[in-house]
C-alpha cells in the first residue's frame, strides 16, 4: 500500500519562519518585508520580532499570509560577546492571539518600545534565567497558551547537545539558519544536532530559515533574505490549515533543492526531487540508509531506498551548489 510522507494532495507554499522588522531590530517595516518576500515567490512570512507579539493580518491577501509570532531569548549572564544564548520562536495557533507568555519588558531592547505598556500578557512579569528549568517553564507556558515552539540557530547559540537535549515540548528546531553565516560567518547547518535530538527521543521537525535583519539590497551577496525556507503542503493558504500542516510535519526545510514527491510502498521509500547531485536516506541504525549519486556533469531526480526495520529515517537532497534540503524524521512504527 502506498503511503505519502509528504501529502499527495494540496499545494506547496514557500515560507520564511524567522524574520525581524522595525518592530524590533530589523531594517525593513513589516509591509516592506511582505513585498520583498512576495516578489521572490514566498506565500508565508512569520514576523518573529524580539519579545513583541504583533498580529500582522492586515498585510494578508489571497496570495500571502503572515504568522503571528515572536522570538524569545535567554541570555547567559556574561558580556554578550562571550554569552551563550537560547532563543525560541513561538507561533500562535490563533492568528489574532496577541497575549504573551512569560513577558518581561526589560527584554524589549529594540524598535517599537512604545508597545510595552499595552502588551497583553498571561500572569505576572516573568524573570527568566539561563537555566534548563526556566527555559522549560517558558516552553510549557507557551504550549499551554496556544503556541508552537521551535529552537533557533543552535550553532550561533554556542550550547551543547546535552543542554538542548534536556528540553521537552519543542515542535521543531532550525536545521539551517541563514543569517548566522551571512551575518556572522557561523555555518549554522545542524544535521548532527538534529540527529542527536532524535536519538534522545525528541520527536521534533526541522526548519530552514533566514532570521533576516539587515537592509542589504536583494542583489547584494550579503543579503540575508531568501537563504533558508520551508515548503509547506496544505489544502489552501488559510491560517488554521498552515498551522495544522506545521503541527503535522507536512513540510520540508531547504536553502535551495526541492522535494516534489515522497512516499513509501511495500517497504521501499520513493523520493522525487529537483536536479540533485546526491539524494541520501539517513537512519539511526546500521547499515544506515544509503545514497544515490550523479556522475560528473549529470543530475539525478529520484531515488528509492529500503526502509530500516526500526527507528527513524529522513532524507537529505544536495544540489550542485552544496545546498541541503532536509525532510523531518519519519519513524518506522
Amino acid at each position: 500500500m502506498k503511503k505519502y510522507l509528504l501529502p499527495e494532495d494540496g499545494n506547496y507554499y514557500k515560507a520564511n519562519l524567522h524574520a525581524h522588522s522595525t518592530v524590533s531590530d530589523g531594517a525593513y517595516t513589516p509591509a516592506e518585508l511582505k513585498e520583498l518576500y512576495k516578489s521572490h515567490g514566498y506565500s508565508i512570512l512569520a514576523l518573529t520580532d524580539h519579545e513583541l507579539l504583533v498580529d500582522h493580518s492586515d498585510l494578508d491577501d489571497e496570495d500571502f499570509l503572515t504568522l503571528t509570532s515572536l522570538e524569545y531569548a535567554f541570555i547567559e549572564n556574561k558580556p554578550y560577546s562571550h554569552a551563550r544564548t537560547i532563543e525560541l520562536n513561538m507561533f500562535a495557533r490563533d492568528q489574532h492571539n496577541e497575549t504573551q507568555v512569560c513577558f518581561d519588558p526589560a527584554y524589549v531592547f529594540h524598535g517599537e518600545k512604545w508597545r510595552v505598556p499595552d502588551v497583553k500578557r498571561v500572569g505576572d512579569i516573568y524573570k527568566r534565567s539561563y537555566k534548563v528549568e526556566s527555559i522549560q517553564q517558558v516552553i510549557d507556558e507557551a504550549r499551554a497558551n496556544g503556541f508552537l515552539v521551535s529552537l533557533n540557530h543552535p550553532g550561533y547559540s554556542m550550547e551543547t547537545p546535552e543542554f538542548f537535549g534536556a528540553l521537552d515540548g519543542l515542535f521543531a528546531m532550525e536545521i539551517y539558519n541563514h543569517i548566522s553565516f551571512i551575518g556572522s560567518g557561523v555555518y549554522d547547518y545542524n544535521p548532527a544536532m538534529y540527529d542527536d535530538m532524535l536519538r534522545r527521543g525528541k520527536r521534533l521537525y526541522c526548519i530552514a530559515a533566514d532570521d533576516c535583519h539587515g537592509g542589504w539590497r536583494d542583489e547584494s551577496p550579503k543579503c540575508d533574505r531568501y537563504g533558508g525556507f520551508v515548503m509547506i503542503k496544505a489544502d489552501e493558504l488559510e491560517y488554521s490549515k498552515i498551522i495544522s500542516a506545521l503541527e503535522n510535519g507536512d513540510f520540508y526545510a531547504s536553502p535551495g533543492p526541492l522535494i516534489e514527491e515522497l512516499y513509501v510502498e511495500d517497504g521501499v521509500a520513493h523520493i522525487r526531487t529537483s536536479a540533485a547531485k546526491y539524494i541520501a536516506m539517513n537512519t539511526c541504525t546500521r547499515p544506515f540508509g544509503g545514497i544515490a549519486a550523479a556522475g560528473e556533469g549529470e543530475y539525478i531526480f529520484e531515488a528509492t531506498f529500503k526502509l530500516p526495520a526500526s527507528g527513524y529515517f529522513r532524507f537529505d537532497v544536495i544540489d550542485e551548489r552544496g545546498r541541503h534540503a532536509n525532510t523531518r524524521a519519519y519513524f518506522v512504527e
Side-chain angles (χ1 to χ4, degrees), residues 23-281:
V23 172
S24 59
D25 58 347
Y28 291 102
T29 67
E32 289 169 334
L33 281 177
K34 173 200 170 172
E35 293 307 318
L36 287 166
Y37 276 95
K38 188 173 180 179
S39 70
H40 281 74
Y42 286 72
S43 300
I44 299 167
L45 179 63
L47 288 152
T48 54
D49 279 301
H50 297 284
E51 308 296 333
L52 290 171
L53 184 65
V54 180
D55 177 353
H56 294 289
S57 58
D58 58 304
L59 298 178
D60 294 355
D61 59 45
E62 62 181 8
D63 299 314
F64 199 87
L65 183 70
T66 58
L67 301 187
T68 303
S69 48
L70 62 74
E71 186 171 31
Y72 190 102
F74 298 83
I75 304 172
E76 195 175 23
N77 188 24
K78 291 182 178 181
Y80 189 73
S81 60
H82 292 80
R84 293 172 294 180
T85 65
I86 297 286
E87 292 185 90
L88 308 171
N89 275 346
M90 301 180 185
F91 305 94
R93 286 190 173 90
D94 177 349
Q95 187 174 23
H96 305 303
N97 177 11
E98 291 185 287
T99 301
Q100 299 192 204
V101 300
C102 302
F103 178 67
D104 183 351
Y107 273 74
V108 181
F109 304 130
H110 317 285
E112 298 180 359
K113 298 179 183 179
W114 56 266
R115 292 181 180 272
V116 168
D118 297 322
V119 165
K120 293 179 284 186
R121 57 183 168 85
V122 176
D124 297 328
I125 298 300
Y126 181 79
K127 298 301 180 183
R128 68 195 83 177
S129 61
Y130 195 85
K131 296 179 180 178
V132 167
E133 294 77 12
S134 181
I135 300 168
Q136 188 62 59
Q137 184 176 14
V138 171
I139 293 171
D140 293 344
E141 285 293 312
R143 295 179 67 206
N145 286 278
F147 294 89
L148 304 178
V149 184
S150 67
L151 173 66
N152 297 342
H153 45 62
Y156 184 83
S157 293
M158 300 191 296
E159 258 303 349
T160 65
E162 290 73 23
F163 194 103
F164 291 129
L167 302 174
D168 293 317
L170 297 166
F171 102 95
M173 61 160 277
E174 287 183 348
I175 200 167
Y176 177 73
N177 180 288
H178 188 56
I179 200 175
S180 290
F181 179 70
I182 207 69
S184 304
V186 177
Y187 188 45
D188 221 331
Y189 176 53
N190 306 289
M193 180 69 74
Y194 185 46
D195 280 318
D196 185 89
M197 295 287 275
L198 294 168
R199 288 172 179 141
R200 292 172 187 270
K202 314 298 180 181
R203 295 207 174 189
L204 73 173
Y205 308 140
C206 59
I207 289 170
D210 285 340
D211 194 2
C212 60
H213 287 72
W216 298 100
R217 298 177 62 86
D218 286 351
E219 59 271 19
S220 169
K222 295 198 72 174
C223 176
D224 59 10
R225 298 177 298 280
Y226 330 123
F229 56 87
V230 296
M231 296 296 285
I232 302 172
K233 195 79 174 284
D235 292 337
E236 60 181 301
L237 189 62
E238 189 273 328
Y239 197 92
S240 64
K241 297 286 182 68
I242 297 302
I243 290 294
S244 291
L246 289 174
E247 286 189 281
N248 294 334
D250 294 336
F251 63 92
Y252 65 88
S254 180
L258 303 178
I259 300 173
E260 297 169 0
E261 189 176 47
L262 179 60
Y263 65 91
V264 296
E265 186 175 28
D266 298 329
V268 176
H270 300 252
I271 184 169
R272 188 163 55 86
T273 71
S274 59
K277 299 301 289 184
Y278 301 96
I279 302 173
M281 184 172 80

